[in-house]
Amino acid sequence: DGDKTEHLAEFVRVLERYVSAIGVRTFAELKDWETERTDPILAAFKKYATVPVINLESAMHHPCQSMADMMTIRETLGPAKKRVLLTWAWHPKPLPMAVPNSFALAAAQFGHDLRIAHPAGYELDEELLAEIEQQAITNGGSVEFTNDVTTAFDGVEVVYAKSWGGKQFYGNTDKDIEHRATLRNDWIVDEAKMARTDSAIFM
């Protein structure tokens, strides 16, 4: 910001003299998705730094988390392709999309058969979904989508439950909270839903 005493360009160039890499964690403000999806703060660090910049979570991605998730699946169930469910789950307030975005992308990159379940209005970013579908094709996996919170669990080996905010509600948190209150009783993971899985692990 031009009105600040120290510009990011100066800060990054001083900081990188002390370190071999810079880890940046910046959170979504849930105000303007079209701006936040570009991760402007992370992009600024990348622009000015000459050392590696590691995304420790941004509005759009949480890659270190997804690497840990893929490692957990592999360590628990082995390296073969798995049937994986990423399901939206109720939470009292909207949360960033970084974790579900990165989990879905990583599952596709690892060639898993991915099912994404969410209520209508909580779709993930369209451009990212196109990349996820392409990664799935490239790596021998698949991606499917459903709004049915019950049948989504059928036959999966991994259940990953996560809440996220709806793009349609960006900038209007109160409206999202009001809407998601109607989903509280259905969009949960319980014993009945887990019984429909193939003895899935819950993450």
Side-chain angles (χ1 to χ4, degrees):
D1 293 336
D3 64 342
K4 299 296 188 289
T5 57
E6 188 174 5
H7 192 277
L8 183 66
E10 298 165 329
F11 166 73
V12 170
R13 288 169 182 154
V14 171
L15 180 63
E16 69 182 12
R17 294 181 182 191
Y18 296 89
V19 298
S20 300
I22 301 173
V24 179
R25 187 176 176 107
T26 176
F27 294 100
E29 296 180 3
L30 303 178
K31 292 181 180 177
D32 176 10
W33 176 244
E34 290 307 314
T35 298
E36 291 182 36
R37 71 175 305 284
T38 66
D39 286 333
I41 296 173
L42 190 69
F45 270 85
K46 181 180 176 184
K47 177 180 178 181
Y48 295 116
T50 61
V51 297
V53 175
I54 301 167
N55 182 353
L56 300 179
E57 186 177 8
S58 64
M60 190 68 170
H61 291 289
H62 199 342
C64 295
Q65 174 72 50
S66 64
M67 285 192 297
D69 293 330
M70 294 304 112
M71 180 182 291
T72 298
I73 292 171
R74 177 170 286 206
E75 288 178 342
T76 306
L77 300 176
K81 176 196 295 192
K82 302 294 178 290
R83 295 180 303 279
V84 177
L85 170 64
L86 166 62
T87 180
W88 190 93
W90 181 83
H91 188 278
K93 64 181 183 179
L95 299 173
M97 286 184 258
V99 170
N101 283 348
S102 287
F103 180 84
L105 181 59
Q109 289 169 326
F110 273 72
H112 295 308
D113 290 325
L114 174 65
R115 184 178 299 153
I116 301 176
H118 57 75
Y122 288 90
E123 294 77 12
L124 296 176
D125 182 77
E126 293 86 355
E127 189 175 322
L128 178 69
L129 288 176
E131 181 182 354
I132 288 167
E133 290 178 318
Q134 185 56 53
Q135 287 287 344
I137 292 169
T138 300
N139 294 293
S142 63
V143 183
E144 62 178 291
F145 306 92
T146 182
N147 299 128
D148 189 325
V149 68
T150 302
T151 60
F153 286 76
D154 290 352
V156 298
E157 299 165 276
V158 177
V159 173
Y160 195 94
K162 186 73 177 81
S163 182
W164 60 86
K167 296 190 303 297
Q168 64 180 347
F169 302 116
Y170 248 69
N172 194 342
T173 300
D174 291 342
K175 190 71 174 173
D176 194 325
I177 291 172
E178 178 184 336
H179 180 75
R180 68 181 43 236
T182 66
L183 306 169
R184 180 173 187 168
N185 295 327
D186 294 327
W187 285 89
I188 60 171
V189 180
D190 56 19
E191 290 180 354
K193 292 186 182 79
M194 289 298 290
R196 302 177 73 102
T197 71
D198 184 6
S199 301
I201 60 170
F202 176 78
M203 300 177 66

